[in-house]
Amino acid sequence: MKTIFIAIIMDLLLSLFSFSNPDVTRVPFQLIRNLVIVEASVNGKYGYFIMDTGVSEIILNDRYFNGKPTGDKFYGINGSEMDKAVDFIRINLGGFEKQGFAIVTDFSALEKNSGLELLGVIGNSVFRLCELVFDYIFKEVTIYELDKKGNRQSSKNIHLVPLDTLSFTFSNGIPLIEVERNGKRFKMRVDSGATANLMDIQNIDRHTSVPTQVKTQALASFGSSEVSVKSLLMEDFNVGKLSCPPMKTMFVNLDHFNKNQSGMKVDGILGYEFLSNFRVAINYRKKEIYLWDRKTVEFQWDIASSGKDNH
């Protein structure tokens, strides 16, 4: 109940305290340990943040920010449980500004894994009236302001005419799409904060008949420690009309994760291994995802570089 009440207050405050943001904001990013790392400021404190479409909130590192205890718990994808505090903040990302509530929690494992002093994670609530374009080829995120119908106020021609358009649903404030593999369909979250694809460990036998192909490696999430998980290079994934190249997928127990989510149960997560092979745009108002493959992106860049277009 406390979590629901906080979410309602956040929505009200985001509406009350709106900023006049540019129609288009370009934000360069670094790709570190497969994480999208941007520079931004919260309450005037400037540093590194993860752009993470796999969470709905802004989440701050309790080493640098203080919050008021809520009595609730916050759960990482690996099942770790942490105390949850909140703080009212103002964020500036390349000139794009918002303010509202943020969660404050433990970032020890994420900092250890990335080798960075991370101030926090920027989730979907900041962009709920926008379109986000993730371009891993040129290492930039573009933020488009949208009108009430979900159309861009202004647009770069290089971001027009995607190869495919997918409708998505929200699962606990996070985009959820269906993917197909070997005739079976899976509900997957789209998560720029996941360093690999994730699927439920209970399904691992359905995806391989060769046990020696399964590897073991560490997975970091919120909390103080990493966990050991199984991983497998998986082929034959189809997303919409597009075929995916072989993608490394980690297998974790998602029972605890699904139990603590109020949205639809998910089969897994599409992270870096998926996103890095495409240009991916998320239109939060229309609830649509636009996809371009690398060949199309590079062709559009050639046109832009010749002076016929603007990047």
Side-chain angles (χ1 to χ4, degrees):
M1 180 60 71
K2 289 180 181 178
T3 302
I4 295 172
F5 178 73
I6 290 169
I8 293 171
I9 294 295
M10 181 186 290
D11 282 341
L12 289 172
L13 286 170
L14 284 173
S15 299
L16 286 171
F17 298 100
S18 59
F19 296 90
S20 179
N21 286 311
D23 290 345
V24 184
T25 304
R26 287 175 57 191
V27 182
F29 67 78
Q30 301 178 59
L31 199 57
I32 299 176
R33 298 290 183 91
N34 296 348
L35 293 170
V36 177
I37 305 294
V38 297
E39 294 183 59
S41 66
V42 165
N43 294 346
K45 190 172 293 185
Y46 191 82
Y48 293 115
F49 290 78
I50 300 172
M51 287 281 288
D52 192 349
T53 61
V55 298
S56 59
E57 310 94 340
I58 300 170
I59 306 174
L60 301 177
N61 190 337
D62 61 8
R63 286 181 59 198
Y64 310 108
F65 298 93
N66 297 314
K68 296 181 180 179
T70 64
D72 287 346
K73 297 293 183 179
F74 182 74
Y75 299 91
I77 189 65
N78 56 19
S80 56
E81 180 182 280
M82 296 145 284
D83 292 328
K84 180 178 176 180
V86 296
D87 191 19
F88 186 74
I89 58 96
R90 176 170 177 166
I91 185 169
N92 185 309
L93 174 62
F96 176 87
E97 293 187 280
K98 293 287 183 180
Q99 60 186 25
F101 279 106
I103 295 172
V104 183
T105 195
D106 189 343
F107 271 63
S108 301
L110 283 173
E111 287 195 301
K112 180 181 178 181
N113 179 262
S114 67
L116 295 174
E117 293 184 348
L118 292 170
L119 267 62
V121 161
I122 305 172
N124 295 318
S125 62
V126 177
F127 310 108
R128 65 193 183 97
L129 302 179
C130 302
E131 180 182 326
L132 277 185
V133 183
F134 286 89
D135 198 325
Y136 282 72
I137 296 175
F138 301 113
K139 292 187 174 59
E140 70 173 19
V141 176
T142 304
I143 307 167
Y144 285 110
E145 288 286 327
L146 304 176
D147 62 23
K148 291 183 179 180
K149 293 183 178 180
N151 298 314
R152 298 171 186 167
Q153 304 276 19
S154 178
S155 181
K156 295 188 286 185
N157 288 338
I158 198 171
H159 288 159
L160 300 179
V161 195
L163 289 184
D164 201 5
T165 298
L166 309 175
S167 297
F168 70 82
T169 56
F170 275 116
S171 171
N172 219 44
I174 299 162
L176 181 73
I177 63 174
E178 285 194 343
V179 305
E180 183 269 333
R181 184 173 189 261
N182 296 336
K184 296 182 175 63
R185 302 191 71 80
F186 301 92
K187 295 182 176 65
M188 307 281 282
R189 287 186 172 194
V190 179
D191 185 352
S192 63
T195 57
N197 296 345
L198 298 177
M199 295 197 77
D200 198 315
I201 188 65
Q202 298 177 54
N203 294 324
I204 192 168
D205 291 337
R206 297 167 58 187
H207 294 293
T208 181
S209 58
V210 186
T212 55
Q213 293 178 342
V214 179
K215 309 298 182 183
T216 301
Q217 66 180 90
L219 172 66
S221 180
F222 299 104
S224 58
S225 61
E226 298 178 331
V227 293
S228 180
V229 299
K230 303 294 184 182
S231 71
L232 178 68
L233 189 66
M234 295 179 65
E235 301 179 347
D236 304 321
F237 269 112
N238 294 300
V239 179
K241 302 173 184 176
L242 304 179
S243 298
C244 300
M247 300 186 295
K248 182 171 71 175
T249 302
M250 297 183 181
F251 289 83
V252 300
N253 189 331
L254 291 177
D255 285 348
H256 189 77
F257 174 76
N258 277 316
K259 180 181 177 181
N260 291 288
Q261 303 298 308
S262 59
M264 189 182 303
K265 181 179 178 181
V266 301
D267 298 306
I269 288 171
L270 292 173
Y272 167 80
E273 292 288 322
F274 168 72
L275 294 168
S276 62
N277 286 292
F278 301 95
R279 174 189 285 148
V280 180
I282 305 172
N283 187 312
Y284 288 92
R285 281 206 163 191
K286 289 186 176 181
K287 296 182 182 178
E288 292 180 340
I289 288 178
Y290 314 122
L291 298 174
W292 299 256
D293 63 10
R294 280 181 170 263
K295 183 177 180 181
T296 302
V297 172
E298 289 166 357
F299 176 72
Q300 290 178 334
W301 174 247
D302 287 341
I303 294 174
S305 300
S306 69
K308 298 177 183 178
D309 199 350
N310 291 313
H311 180 53

